Amino acid sequence: ADEVMLEFKDSTNAVRAASELQDEFHEAARELDLPTPDIRTGVHFGECTRSSEGDLFGDAVNIASRVQGVAELGQVVLSAAVKERLEEGAFELESLGAKELKNVAEPVEVFGLS
């Protein structure tokens, strides 16, 4: 399984990009008569450290990866930290509850993008 991590300056654009990327991948697969890609997306907000090579490290990176693991195929899932920073009414979200995430001390409330 391949993974990609992207960094955004604000939560609203991060969630919008996640949703649009999934839509674009699915549309491209339909146009090329390929199977629907198995995409799961997790979005989290937090501080990261950048290495001299440009790689990101820190708790926020770990939590983002774990939030992605909660997502079903084709689903965008975001943490409460992201939800709190979204523009009012920008997205319809469904609470998926607080989840115990590997190597994360406290449960993290997550939301699915409808």
Side-chain angles (χ1 to χ4, degrees), residues 5 13 19 26-27 35 39 71 78 80 95 110:
M5 181 175 18
N13 282 328
S19 177
H26 288 117
E27 180 62 29
I39 300 173
L78 43 136
S95 176
V110 294

Side-chain angles (χ1 to χ4, degrees), residues 23-82:
D23 291 346
E24 291 294 324
F25 274 111
H26 288 117
E27 180 62 29
R30 277 191 296 277
E31 289 177 6
L32 297 170
D33 199 27
L34 296 171
T36 301
D38 295 338
I39 300 173
R40 303 169 198 261
T41 305
V43 184
H44 179 65
F45 176 88
E47 290 187 33
C48 302
T49 302
R50 185 181 305 280
S51 73
S52 59
E53 293 84 30
D55 294 327
L56 296 174
F57 297 94
D59 288 340
V61 174
N62 181 47
I63 294 170
S65 174
R66 303 303 182 208
V67 169
Q68 178 267 331
V70 171
E72 300 290 331
L73 292 179
Q75 186 178 36
V76 176
V77 174
L78 43 136
S79 68
V82 173

Side-chain angles (χ1 to χ4, degrees), residues 74-92:
Q75 186 178 36
V76 176
V77 174
L78 43 136
S79 68
V82 173
K83 180 184 181 288
E84 293 168 5
R85 290 165 176 81
L86 292 176
E87 293 174 10
E88 187 70 32
F91 303 98
E92 289 186 39

